[in-house]
Structure formats: structure tokens, C-alpha cells
Amino acid sequence: MTDRIEKTIDLNAPVERVWRALTDHREFGEWFRVDIEAPFAAGKSARGRITHPGYENVVWNAVIEAMDEPRRFAFTWHPYAVDPDRDYSAEPQTLVEFTLAPIATGTRLTIVETGFDSLPEDRRAEAWRMNDGGWTQQVENIRKHVER
């Protein structure tokens, strides 16, 4: 078991394009598959409904921790909080950080999620496993979004 998930992808798109895909709530929602209610703002909550098939009943909640243009975007959330009968509000959250770096062909995007070790033991392993797979899919989703 690990406390950290890390995914890195080289995108054939400039940093400014990738930054917009991450921080414009409509664009983020398009590739991340969530209908977000309002623009992102550092220190504020963000909320929306998941649009990924099979998860349409799940409400996505996050707190935007950082919008350090154009290099770092971060939020906290309750990972894999999909059980409608469970109250996740008292649980610790994980931190998701997106870091952008210019490279010759565009942008290197690194996504790091940390904090799984602080989750309740009964859901820690599943949250890590599901998010590890989820981030594998999400790096492909953002690649398709910014390279089209």
C-alpha cells in the first residue's frame, strides 16, 4: 500500500492550453466527466455532478487549494466517495496536484495525489486502487482534450 499516486504525461500542447484545460471549470468538466456548477477559485469549494456512465448519481466535491498560473493547480477531495449511503464529510481528504512544465514538444503534466494513508482503513485500499486506475484514464482524457 502506498500513500501516493503519480502519473506523468507529455502533451503536444503549450502550457497555456493545458493550464486552461485544468482551471477553466467547463473545460475541466469536459475531459474529467463532471458538470461543475461554477468557476474555480483558490480557497473556494467546487461542486458538480459526475457525468461518467454509471456514476451519474455521484456529486463531485473539492476545495481548490492553489491556482498558481501557469504551473500548479491543486485541490482536496474525498477520493472514491461514491457510496450514497456513506457520509464522507468527517473523513480526511487527499490532495491532488497538477504540475505543468514546458518541454520541447509542449507540456509535461504531472498529477500527484497524496494522503491515502490517513483514510479510514476499511476503504483505504479500494480508494487508492480506484483512483490509480482513474488517473490512468484521466491522463488520456486530458491528452485527447488538449491535442485535438
Side-chain angles (χ1 to χ4, degrees), residues 96-125:
V96 177
E97 297 177 277
F98 299 86
T99 306
L100 293 74
I103 57 174
T105 57
T107 305
R108 177 162 295 143
L109 174 63
T110 302
I111 304 169
V112 177
E113 183 172 7
T114 56
F116 291 93
D117 285 351
S118 66
L119 297 179
E121 189 174 339
D122 69 317
R123 65 181 225 91
R124 186 179 306 148

Side-chain angles (χ1 to χ4, degrees), residues 29-136:
E30 187 176 329
W31 66 266
F32 199 83
R33 311 289 192 264
V34 61
D35 184 15
I36 299 171
E37 297 171 355
F40 293 145
K44 302 289 185 183
S45 293
R47 179 180 165 93
R49 186 149 309 272
I50 301 287
T51 60
H52 184 79
Y55 293 92
E56 297 91 348
N57 65 319
V58 177
V59 175
W60 184 85
N61 287 295
V63 175
I64 307 304
E65 297 293 330
M67 293 180 75
D68 303 327
E69 187 175 356
R71 300 286 184 247
R72 181 175 172 265
F73 174 61
F75 60 79
T76 56
W77 68 349
H78 295 288
Y80 199 61
V82 297
D83 182 348
D85 298 324
R86 183 166 184 157
D87 179 7
Y88 298 95
S89 62
E91 290 184 9
Q93 297 185 344
T94 56
L95 174 66
V96 177
E97 297 177 277
F98 299 86
T99 306
L100 293 74
I103 57 174
T105 57
T107 305
R108 177 162 295 143
L109 174 63
T110 302
I111 304 169
V112 177
E113 183 172 7
T114 56
F116 291 93
D117 285 351
S118 66
L119 297 179
E121 189 174 339
D122 69 317
R123 65 181 225 91
R124 186 179 306 148
E126 182 180 31
W128 187 92
R129 181 177 56 80
M130 293 304 290
N131 280 28
D132 184 53
W135 288 119
T136 297

Side-chain angles (χ1 to χ4, degrees), residues 8-55:
T8 300
I9 188 169
D10 291 346
L11 301 167
N12 186 20
V15 167
E16 296 77 18
R17 175 69 191 103
V18 178
W19 178 256
R20 190 172 71 243
L22 290 171
T23 61
D24 178 285
H25 73 289
R26 291 173 299 259
E27 283 203 39
F28 181 93
E30 187 176 329
W31 66 266
F32 199 83
R33 311 289 192 264
V34 61
D35 184 15
I36 299 171
E37 297 171 355
F40 293 145
K44 302 289 185 183
S45 293
R47 179 180 165 93
R49 186 149 309 272
I50 301 287
T51 60
H52 184 79
Y55 293 92

